[in-house]
């Protein structure tokens, strides 16, 4: 019987922590703490490296700490240089594949901090001419983690990573607003019926409808920048619970200054580090803004799906670009798949907000142990919202067209136009005409003229597009109605 060849066993190196010896792949830059975490937390299958901005942020924090420790004569210059160089390589995109721990983990982020310490230490050792695991010369905890705790490193790195993602999403939201704004200009003269509670209301232009979407999205872009200010305050230097134990009195301010220099973000040290170490309110605030943004985008996409419904038996007021065949059984069917995917991202962001709220509430005493799930949800919401918005612009908004004849007919035959005549013929007469039009399927203008309430010329003037879609012209006519209409 033929035997299947087996791959030779991978080479291992043995490392030790406070729990004892543990085997680590010899080729790995991570060490014993990371290896244990891999066994302990096979939860989501999503590694920290999935969020490259977070990995870069961890390296930036470790680089700032090494620089501060060196300036305070707490770290040998050669060791500091090697640590800074290793962090620079990570921030350039190298060794991200070594950040392997699951984003969902117990320990308040300790496994992620240990993962960073070990990868940086082993790469620094190589740069110093030593082998990986030779921790007598440069240690992950004694040197890379000096003056630090997971409890100040981890939330600081989260906030730095969020600054990057927030600015990315901000730019994308502005692009969405601009795309809707261009459509608003294109559709500025296209008259249509506005609706409330899905019933005919009063006329408006399709441009006004789309300009509303532009304003809605632009407003949320502003709110996002406001939330970014809250996550620019960090607790680096607070160490375990915010008291700064084992850190130099000048370390917190100096490390924050170096981190600001490295990242380009205007970061500040919290006024009360004990408060800042346990309070995750800034994350809750940001999540709330993301939920607000997502829900408003979802509402807009609901409108797009409704306005494009049909094509024969729906609203059929606008056309969305056809992206793919819509059915395996109904030939020719095309679905609004781009708004649909944005809807689903909005549902996800809303669910993430619930998770973040529960995690924030579950914090106890001097630390919130649930920041890993908070970070995961925030990173995911930001990334998916950004991708959804880009898709919405590129594969939907720019290709939207108006069914102008359909829109014109809807205004011409709508009972809702009676509202524009109410200031001149009175509410009671308007209600009577509306009921007659609904019962007989006749037009509002014809009935008003037939009853002698206004002349045909007066009706034409009052129902002209420029009089229907804005208050200024109409209010001017009301002021002069005794002269014009008697």
């Amino acid at each position: 019987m033929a035997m299947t060849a087996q791959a030779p066993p991978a080479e291992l190196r043995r490392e030790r922590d406070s729990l004892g010896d543990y085997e680590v792949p010899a080729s790995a830059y991570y060490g014993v703490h990371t290896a244990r975490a891999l066994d302990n937390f096979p939860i989501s299958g999503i590694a920290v490296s999935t969020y490259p901005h977070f990995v870069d942020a961890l390296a930036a924090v470790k680089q700032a700490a090494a620089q501060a420790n060196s300036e305070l004569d707490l770290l040998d210059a050669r060791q500091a240089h090697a640590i800074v160089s290793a962090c620079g390589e990570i921030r350039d995109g190298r060794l991200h594949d070594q950040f392997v721990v699951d984003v969902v983990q117990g320990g308040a982020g300790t496994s992620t901090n240990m993962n960073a310490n070990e990868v940086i230490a082993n790469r620094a050792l190589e740069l110093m001419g030593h082998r990986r695991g030779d921790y007598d010369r440069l240690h992950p905890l004694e040197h890379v983690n000096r003056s630090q705790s997971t409890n100040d490193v981890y939330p600081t790195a989260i906030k730095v990573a969020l600054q990057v993602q927030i600015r990315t999403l901000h730019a994308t939201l502005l692009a969405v607003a601009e795309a809707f704004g261009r459509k608003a200009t294109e559709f500025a003269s296209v008259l249509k019926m506005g609706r409330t509670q899905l019933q005919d209301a009063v006329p408006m232009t399709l441009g006004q409808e789309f300009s509303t979407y532009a304003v809605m999205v632009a407003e949320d872009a502003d709110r996002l920048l406001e939330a970014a200010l809250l996550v620019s305050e960090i607790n680096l230097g607070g160490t375990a619970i915010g008291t700064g134990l084992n850190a130099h009195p000048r370390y917190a301010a100096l490390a924050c200054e170096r981190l600001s220099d490295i990242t380009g973000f205007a970061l500040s040290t919290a006024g009360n580090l004990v408060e800042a170490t346990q309070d995750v309110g800034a994350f809750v605030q940001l999540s709330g803004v993301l939920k607000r943004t997502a829900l408003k985008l979802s509402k807009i996409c609901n409108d797009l799906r409704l306005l494009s419904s049909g094509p024969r038996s729906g609203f059929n007021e606008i056309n969305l670009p056809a992206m793919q065949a819509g059915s395996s059984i109904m030939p020719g069917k095309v679905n609004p798949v781009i708004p649909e995917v944005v809807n689903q991202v909005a549902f996800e962001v809303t669910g993430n907000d619930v998770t973040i709220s529960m995690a924030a509430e579950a914090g106890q005493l001097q630390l919130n142990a649930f920041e890993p799930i908070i970070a995961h949800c925030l990173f995911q919401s930001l990334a998916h919202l950004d991708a959804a918005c880009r898709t919405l612009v590129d594969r939907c908004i720019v290709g939207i067209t108006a069914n102008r004849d359909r829109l014109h007919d809807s205004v011409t035959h709508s009972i809702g136009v009676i509202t524009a005549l109410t200031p001149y013929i009175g509410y009671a007469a308007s209600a009577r005409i509306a009921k007659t039009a609904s019962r007989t399927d006749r037009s509002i203008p014809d009935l008003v003229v037939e009853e002698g309430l206004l002349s045909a010329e007066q009706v034409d003037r009052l129902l002209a597009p420029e009089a229907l879609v804005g208050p200024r012209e109409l209010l001017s006519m009301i002021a002069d109605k005794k002269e014009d209409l008697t």
Side-chain angles (χ1 to χ4, degrees):
M1 181 176 181
M3 299 293 293
T4 302
Q6 295 184 351
E11 293 187 11
L12 302 171
R13 70 172 186 266
R14 185 173 295 275
E15 292 193 9
R16 173 179 288 272
D17 64 4
S18 60
L19 298 182
D21 290 348
Y22 213 78
E23 291 184 333
V24 180
S27 60
Y29 281 88
Y30 60 79
V32 55
H33 296 96
T34 304
R36 289 192 190 278
L38 284 172
D39 290 340
N40 287 336
F41 307 120
I43 306 301
S44 70
I46 302 172
V48 170
S49 58
T50 302
Y51 303 117
H53 296 313
F54 187 37
V55 174
D56 292 344
L58 287 162
V61 172
K62 297 297 178 180
Q63 180 177 333
Q67 290 174 338
N69 283 323
S70 179
E71 292 180 49
L72 295 169
D73 295 324
L74 299 174
L75 190 63
D76 175 79
R78 186 165 178 259
Q79 292 173 330
H81 178 73
I83 292 171
V84 168
S85 296
C87 290
E89 290 184 356
I90 292 169
R91 292 175 56 241
D92 286 337
R94 296 184 59 186
L95 299 177
H96 279 219
D97 63 332
Q98 297 297 304
F99 287 77
V100 293
V101 296
D102 199 295
V103 292
V104 182
Q105 56 191 250
T110 297
S111 296
T112 298
N113 185 38
M114 293 294 197
N115 195 166
N117 288 331
E118 290 172 342
V119 172
I120 292 167
N122 280 309
R123 179 53 185 155
L125 282 168
E126 284 186 337
L127 294 172
M128 295 170 67
H130 307 299
R131 62 178 175 80
R132 299 172 204 170
D134 191 2
Y135 297 144
D136 289 339
R137 299 178 185 275
L138 190 147
H139 197 279
L141 300 180
E142 298 290 348
H143 302 111
V144 179
N145 198 63
R146 180 160 293 178
S147 305
Q148 303 154 62
S149 164
T150 293
N151 302 345
D152 63 346
V153 166
Y154 190 76
T156 297
I158 292 172
K159 289 180 177 181
V160 170
L162 289 174
Q163 294 292 337
V164 177
Q165 285 192 285
I166 286 170
R167 281 158 176 77
T168 299
L169 179 57
H170 177 261
T172 302
L173 287 175
L174 291 181
V176 175
E178 289 168 3
F180 277 125
R182 286 191 291 271
K183 284 297 169 182
T185 300
E186 179 183 341
F187 300 147
S189 62
V190 181
L191 200 63
K192 63 161 288 177
M193 284 304 298
R195 298 180 180 86
T196 58
Q197 296 162 278
L198 293 179
Q199 305 300 305
D200 291 359
V202 297
M204 65 186 301
T205 68
L206 189 60
Q208 287 174 319
E209 193 160 40
F210 274 73
S211 70
T212 299
Y213 303 149
V215 172
M216 288 169 65
V217 176
E219 284 180 344
D220 282 349
D222 290 341
R223 301 294 82 75
L224 196 60
L225 286 187
E226 293 169 0
L229 291 176
L230 293 178
V231 293
S232 65
E233 184 182 86
I234 62 174
N235 70 326
L236 190 61
T239 65
I241 64 170
T243 60
L245 182 67
N246 292 347
H248 190 283
R250 292 174 49 210
Y251 169 80
L254 188 56
C256 182
E257 182 179 340
R258 294 294 166 265
L259 186 58
S260 296
D261 293 340
I262 292 165
T263 62
F265 300 130
L267 306 171
S268 62
T269 300
N272 186 316
L273 290 175
V274 176
E275 177 276 332
T277 302
Q278 63 184 271
D279 183 13
V280 295
F283 297 145
V284 175
Q285 173 75 8
L286 173 58
S287 179
V289 172
L290 295 177
K291 182 179 75 170
R292 165 187 161 140
T293 302
L295 293 178
K296 289 169 72 174
L297 284 168
S298 189
K299 186 273 179 191
I300 291 169
C301 287
N302 291 341
D303 287 357
L304 296 179
R305 292 191 295 116
L306 192 60
L307 294 173
S308 65
S309 61
R312 297 288 177 86
S313 57
F315 281 30
N316 194 30
E317 293 189 353
I318 62 173
N319 304 302
L320 305 183
M323 289 293 108
Q324 63 185 53
S327 174
S328 62
I329 189 174
M330 293 171 281
K333 189 171 186 286
V334 178
N335 296 327
V337 294
I338 304 303
E340 287 173 351
V341 77
V342 177
N343 285 136
Q344 291 175 79
V345 170
F347 308 155
E348 177 188 49
V349 172
T350 303
N352 285 343
D353 181 68
V354 174
T355 299
I356 291 166
S357 299
M358 295 181 68
E361 184 276 335
Q364 297 158 326
L365 303 177
Q366 280 68 58
L367 181 68
N368 188 300
F370 308 111
E371 286 183 353
I373 195 65
I374 291 175
H376 173 49
C377 288
L378 286 174
F379 294 155
Q380 188 180 71
S381 290
L382 282 158
H384 291 186
L385 266 179
D386 182 71
C389 287
R390 291 175 186 271
T391 301
L392 183 63
V393 171
D394 296 340
R395 306 190 71 79
C396 183
I397 299 173
V398 297
I400 293 175
T401 58
N403 290 327
R404 296 171 185 259
D405 292 342
R406 172 87 171 205
L407 290 165
H408 178 268
D409 290 345
S410 72
V411 175
T412 302
H413 295 97
S414 173
I415 295 173
V417 296
I418 192 65
T419 304
L421 304 180
T422 300
Y424 312 100
I425 66 175
Y427 190 93
S430 296
R432 185 181 70 256
I433 294 293
K435 289 181 179 179
T436 301
S438 178
R439 186 178 66 255
T440 63
D441 199 29
R442 296 184 61 193
S443 75
I444 293 293
D446 288 349
L447 289 172
V448 169
V449 173
E450 183 178 288
E451 290 199 14
L453 298 172
L454 293 172
S455 69
E457 292 77 12
Q458 290 169 336
V459 170
D460 288 343
R461 180 183 176 190
L462 293 172
L463 297 185
E466 62 271 16
L468 289 174
V469 298
R472 288 174 295 182
E473 297 85 350
L474 184 57
L475 290 175
S476 174
M477 291 179 191
I478 293 173
D480 298 332
K481 69 176 182 177
K482 289 185 178 179
E483 297 181 11
D484 292 344
L485 301 176
T486 58

